[in-house]
Amino acid sequence: MPLNEELLRDYLYSPAYTPSTPDEVAAALGIRSAQGRRELKTLVQQLCERGQLTRLSGNRYALRKPKDGALTGRIIRAKSGKLLFLPDEAGQREIEKLCPDREDAVIPVQEGRGRDAMDGDIVRASIRLQRRTPFRRGRSPRRAHDLSDCTLSARVEEVMARGHNVWIGSYVSDARYGSVAGDGKTSPARIRLAEPPPPDVLPFMTVVVEPLSRPIGKMEATGRIVEVLGWPEDANVQITTVMRKYELPERFPEAVLDEVRRLPDAVSEAECARRDDWRDRCVLTIDPETARDYDDAISLTREKNGWVLAVHIADVSHYVRPGSALDAEALRRGNSTYLPDRVLPMLPPKLCDGLCSLREGEDRLTRLCLMHINRSGKVFRAEFRDSVIRSRRRLTYAQALAVLEERGTTGDAECDAMLHEAHQLAALLRRRRFEAGALDLDMPELRLITDEHGTPVDVEFNESDIAHQLIEEFMLAANEAVAQALNGEALPALYRVHEAPDAAKLHSFALQLKSYGIPAGTLASREELNRVLEQIKGHADEQQLKVALLRCLMRARYSPKALGHFGLAKGDYCHFTSPIRRYADLVVHRAFSRLILGADQPPLPKPAALASVAEHISETERNSAAAENEAQQQMLTLYMQQQCEAEHPRVWQAVITACWAQGIAIELPQLNIKGFISAADFPDNAHWFYERHASRWSATDARVLSPGLALSVVPLRVDQATGFTDFKISER
């Protein structure tokens, strides 16, 4: 497993770590090369210099614990500016022992006890238990073990890792060298420049700052400008700002590119000869129209007692070997990131767009999951092989849908017939999955259309039609089959896990449903949740309620243990079908090699290393998701600004969420945008008056505006700084 500082730090801070020598650490992490051991010793020395490790006798290294009982976790800065401490899983268990009835996961940091910790930092903190009301004379004292009147607070003892190594802000020409105004969360509200700024920077330009000192108490942060991005109104600058803020790598290191240049340009016949040859069979890919890499292909044959489904996945592990620079960079990135106008791939273009992309009419190496499925939709046998394919057709979802709806053809009768057969099987698998309790949380996917300059010009929504569902069901089946086989053989691998939701959050959601007139029980079971989902289907606030339910669920993550997937109602589940864009799938493919080829394969990661990889790629996934969401929201703001100036702006459906004397608050569920309609912007063809007793607006022509009502709106004004949009009611 390739070494980096984050992987080493995760292992050293794992509960299982005991004082060890660098050689023992190398063995635990599966590092065998001399170069890898030298790099490990250098990193250990650096951690010693930072005071995070202490050298003991016998060349053993121990963690320097700041205080007995300190917990590890992440710092979150609330909108109010206060610091909150979110303990990790081990810390949460300790908190539950201390306060079993506590519902909040976060703990407030004591005023002035946060050291120089900032949003996103990993810290060790001590926890203080304090009564809310002191004992008074004449009042019956509470029992010593009664903690119902207690509150928790945290004190940061040590900052272990920084969440943000650079700060983004707007240049201000003041003081000696000027300053930078940050967002007050991921960067300080004000950063004093300790060095002269670059000559090309102008006031209000967006810049990247390298921290020199962080704010502590009344001491302000200092830094130096390392990059000038440009004017914040520019679409390209906005996307680049997100990339720098979330530290998303834009270029590949030269060592990685050197390795890629040495890769062959085509598949060798010698390699094809040892694999199952599917090049003359009907194999096809179905992907979005904008896709550039195609990492999955399907083939299906009907038999007397059911079907044989072949799912072919690009064999990325054939090219990306453990210990290589290419593998280390793929691990560092963790996954590809999809921004509105570009993709930041996990692998260089020669791999993700070329050798590993299952292009039509070209020979490609794949891993094959061959599933035998009976008439009731149950996979009763699965086989796993190495294969080589030549995709007969590269279809978009729209083209596949046209064939399924008898509106078009692939130009190949065999492909057309296979698609119709695949649709029947997918419908059966889907029905069986929901009968088992899987949650139906499908929602339209928003996609921004940009021009050649990266400026948003339109918005479209991708619905989950039968073509999408066909591929989804087949990939889910393959992921489950591979996970069951790996777990059955006890091979070290990574699983996609999704634990059951928190009972307190489900209770709050049930109360929200009742406010909408939707009866709900305890929501403790998938069956009850699916009953509620069936009830809200077609509801005016369906999307809002689905989003509210999603917020109640646990976040899916990677784990070396098969803990099950609550949302999919599966016991064993892994990610196997997208190794071009997810490192987790690449780890699974290496375990897959051991499954089909036996022990004569490179050694698999040790448990400690595998756990560290799982934690790291779960974090990179969250980081990418946050970046994708922020970039999308910024592009939506820019798009709405353009719509404000358009002669015929696009009309959107909104829901009123609150009414005040100043106007009404609305939400656009499709766009996940909140906005406001001022009373001054109400239609002037009637007289409007606010009814305070009913919290609603009424008009002389009998129109009423009240919470929960749907209405059509168009954008009127956009605050570029906050992204908040003012709307007006559409008369069209």
Side-chain angles (χ1 to χ4, degrees):
M1 188 61 62
L3 177 70
N4 59 37
E5 183 176 334
E6 190 162 2
L7 178 63
L8 174 61
R9 191 169 55 243
D10 288 343
Y11 171 65
L12 294 176
Y13 281 99
S14 65
Y17 178 74
T18 56
S20 308
T21 67
D23 288 339
E24 290 170 341
V25 173
L29 293 176
I31 300 170
R32 290 172 174 77
S33 67
Q35 176 65 24
R37 289 175 180 269
R38 284 194 295 270
E39 292 176 0
L40 172 64
K41 290 178 180 178
T42 301
L43 288 177
V44 167
Q45 186 59 38
Q46 290 173 355
L47 291 176
C48 281
E49 292 171 358
R50 296 176 197 168
Q52 295 179 3
L53 284 180
T54 300
R55 184 175 179 178
L56 306 177
S57 60
N59 197 31
R60 295 183 180 275
Y61 290 84
L63 294 171
R64 185 179 66 82
K65 296 186 178 180
K67 189 173 182 178
D68 289 341
L71 305 179
T72 304
R74 184 183 300 274
I75 290 293
I76 300 171
R77 183 175 289 276
K79 291 182 179 179
S80 63
K82 292 184 177 180
L83 295 181
L84 305 172
F85 174 65
L86 176 63
D88 58 15
E89 287 187 37
Q92 291 284 4
R93 289 193 292 269
E94 293 299 319
I95 296 300
E96 287 175 7
K97 293 177 186 176
L98 192 61
C99 295
D101 298 328
R102 182 179 175 83
E103 294 184 1
D104 291 338
V106 295
I107 301 170
V109 176
Q110 297 175 40
E111 190 72 29
R113 295 293 185 266
R115 299 176 72 91
D116 62 348
M118 297 182 62
D119 184 78
D121 290 353
I122 304 297
V123 303
R124 291 177 74 84
S126 55
I127 306 301
R128 182 183 181 192
L129 187 66
Q130 187 176 15
R131 293 198 182 278
R132 293 189 183 94
T133 55
F135 171 73
R136 295 178 185 174
R137 188 183 299 274
R139 179 181 293 179
S140 299
R142 294 181 180 271
R143 294 180 180 179
H145 63 270
D146 184 4
L147 302 177
S148 61
D149 195 37
C150 289
T151 182
L152 297 179
S153 61
R155 172 175 178 158
V156 176
E157 303 290 347
E158 176 188 11
V159 177
M160 295 161 50
R162 295 294 181 182
H164 302 278
N165 295 309
V166 295
W167 293 328
I168 312 294
S170 178
Y171 175 66
V172 180
S173 180
D174 63 2
R176 182 182 180 188
Y177 297 129
S179 64
V180 173
D183 62 8
K185 184 177 181 181
T186 58
S187 59
R190 184 178 187 273
I191 308 158
R192 180 173 57 83
L193 294 179
E195 298 179 7
D200 57 338
V201 67
L202 296 173
F204 308 115
M205 277 187 171
T206 302
V207 296
V208 180
V209 176
E210 178 188 342
L212 296 179
S213 68
R214 296 176 188 265
I216 304 179
K218 295 183 179 180
M219 294 177 59
E220 62 185 354
T222 63
R224 64 184 185 92
I225 295 176
V226 293
E227 186 178 6
V228 179
L229 299 182
W231 299 108
E233 298 83 8
D234 184 86
N236 187 61
V237 170
Q238 290 187 3
I239 295 296
T240 307
T241 298
V242 171
M243 291 165 56
R244 299 294 184 272
K245 178 179 178 180
Y246 291 93
E247 300 181 43
L248 298 172
E250 194 171 5
R251 298 179 179 84
F252 287 92
E254 194 58 36
V256 172
L257 297 178
D258 284 342
E259 284 187 358
V260 172
R261 292 186 194 104
R262 293 195 292 269
L263 292 174
D265 295 323
V267 176
S268 72
E269 278 302 324
E271 181 61 31
C272 293
R274 76 165 191 85
R275 294 171 176 252
D276 274 16
D277 196 336
W278 286 64
R279 287 177 288 186
D280 293 331
R281 305 195 200 186
C282 183
V283 177
L284 52 84
T285 64
I286 307 176
D287 292 279
E289 187 173 354
T290 55
R292 292 187 304 176
D293 55 83
Y294 322 118
D295 50 12
D296 57 80
I298 62 168
S299 182
L300 183 70
T301 54
R302 182 69 185 257
E303 294 189 334
K304 182 179 179 180
N305 296 318
W307 299 265
V308 177
L309 171 62
V311 173
H312 295 270
I313 306 299
D315 189 358
V316 176
S317 62
H318 178 76
Y319 302 99
V320 183
R321 301 290 181 156
S324 64
L326 185 55
D327 185 44
E329 181 64 14
L331 172 60
R332 185 172 78 91
R333 296 181 177 225
N335 48 262
S336 298
T337 304
Y338 297 85
L339 302 176
D341 65 339
R342 71 194 76 179
V343 177
L344 303 176
M346 185 181 78
L347 301 172
K350 183 175 180 178
L351 286 172
C352 65
D353 298 342
L355 281 170
C356 295
S357 187
L358 308 182
R359 294 176 175 176
E360 181 179 321
E362 298 185 22
D363 292 355
R364 289 293 182 263
L365 305 180
T366 56
R367 318 310 293 268
L368 170 61
C369 177
L370 195 66
M371 290 166 281
H372 299 262
I373 306 172
N374 63 23
R375 290 179 180 179
S376 64
K378 178 178 175 58
V379 178
F380 63 88
R381 187 169 82 251
E383 302 172 36
F384 309 101
R385 306 170 187 169
D386 278 342
S387 55
V388 56
I389 68 167
R390 184 183 297 144
S391 175
R392 188 177 296 185
R393 289 288 186 274
R394 184 259 155 167
L395 301 178
T396 66
Y397 284 121
Q399 290 171 333
L401 183 63
V403 173
L404 295 174
E405 294 180 343
E406 304 288 356
R407 295 183 289 103
T409 177
T410 63
D412 184 311
E414 188 179 1
C415 284
D416 287 356
M418 191 180 82
L419 273 175
H420 285 288
E421 197 67 51
H423 169 52
Q424 292 184 36
L425 175 58
L428 177 60
L429 293 175
R430 187 174 178 83
R431 183 169 67 251
R432 181 183 175 90
R433 183 163 61 88
F434 286 127
E435 286 173 354
L439 302 182
D440 185 5
L441 290 168
D442 284 342
M443 288 187 289
E445 181 184 355
L446 183 150
R447 191 171 77 88
L448 281 155
I449 311 299
T450 58
D451 61 17
E452 64 273 14
H453 305 294
T455 303
V457 295
D458 200 4
V459 174
E460 67 177 27
F461 299 91
N462 296 326
E463 299 283 349
S464 180
D465 54 42
I466 56 176
H468 287 79
Q469 292 167 9
L470 185 155
I471 293 299
E472 178 186 16
E473 295 303 326
F474 290 175
M475 297 305 114
L476 289 175
N479 285 337
E480 183 179 23
V482 170
Q484 288 175 342
L486 294 176
N487 199 23
E489 295 293 329
L491 290 170
L494 290 180
Y495 297 90
R496 184 67 168 175
V497 301
H498 184 224
E499 289 107 327
D502 180 76
K505 291 182 178 179
L506 287 178
H507 177 68
S508 298
F509 179 60
L511 294 177
Q512 183 180 355
L513 287 171
K514 289 178 182 177
S515 70
Y516 280 85
I518 300 173
T522 61
L523 301 182
S525 67
R526 280 188 288 260
E527 291 73 17
E528 179 69 12
L529 284 171
N530 270 321
R531 188 188 65 78
V532 166
L533 285 169
E534 190 63 33
Q535 282 189 287
I536 67 178
K537 192 174 292 183
H539 194 282
D541 298 325
E542 177 184 358
Q543 196 155 346
Q544 282 178 290
L545 292 171
K546 279 188 173 181
V547 170
L549 174 55
L550 281 171
R551 289 171 180 161
C552 295
L553 301 179
M554 300 290 283
R555 185 190 288 270
R557 60 186 178 87
Y558 295 105
S559 170
K561 298 179 180 179
L563 303 176
H565 198 293
F566 179 84
L568 295 174
K570 294 186 182 298
D572 293 331
Y573 190 73
C574 70
H575 275 167
F576 166 74
T577 55
S578 295
I580 289 179
R581 62 184 179 91
R582 294 187 304 227
Y583 192 83
D585 302 55
L586 183 55
V587 174
V588 168
H589 277 229
R590 288 168 180 162
F592 184 94
S593 296
R594 184 68 64 86
L595 187 68
I596 62 175
L597 300 174
D600 189 22
Q601 293 295 306
L604 296 175
K606 300 290 184 181
L610 202 58
S612 296
V613 170
E615 186 174 343
H616 169 69
I617 61 178
S618 295
E619 180 60 32
T620 61
E621 180 185 59
R622 290 191 289 268
N623 188 63
S624 290
E628 290 166 357
N629 182 65
E630 183 168 328
Q632 186 178 82
Q633 290 302 313
Q634 288 194 1
M635 290 294 100
L636 272 176
T637 299
L638 195 56
Y639 174 72
M640 284 297 180
Q641 178 65 53
Q642 296 168 349
Q643 289 289 295
C644 292
E645 301 164 3
E647 186 177 354
H648 299 291
R650 184 169 175 177
V651 179
W652 298 96
Q653 292 302 305
V655 177
I656 299 174
T657 56
C659 293
W660 303 299
Q662 298 85 357
I664 59 175
I666 62 171
E667 182 170 347
L668 279 62
Q670 279 185 303
L671 302 178
N672 193 25
I673 286 180
K674 291 179 170 58
F676 184 73
I677 302 177
S678 171
D681 297 321
F682 284 2
D684 56 8
N685 53 6
H687 175 67
W688 293 87
F689 52 93
Y690 179 61
E691 298 180 273
R692 189 177 301 275
H693 69 283
S695 298
R696 69 183 184 187
W697 281 88
S698 298
T700 51
D701 60 1
R703 281 182 288 177
V704 174
L705 300 175
S706 60
L709 187 71
L711 69 164
S712 300
V713 300
V714 293
L716 186 63
R717 291 176 294 271
V718 176
D719 185 337
Q720 287 284 353
T722 63
F724 195 83
T725 306
D726 286 330
F727 292 86
K728 66 178 180 179
I729 299 172
S730 172
E731 298 295 330
R732 287 187 277 164

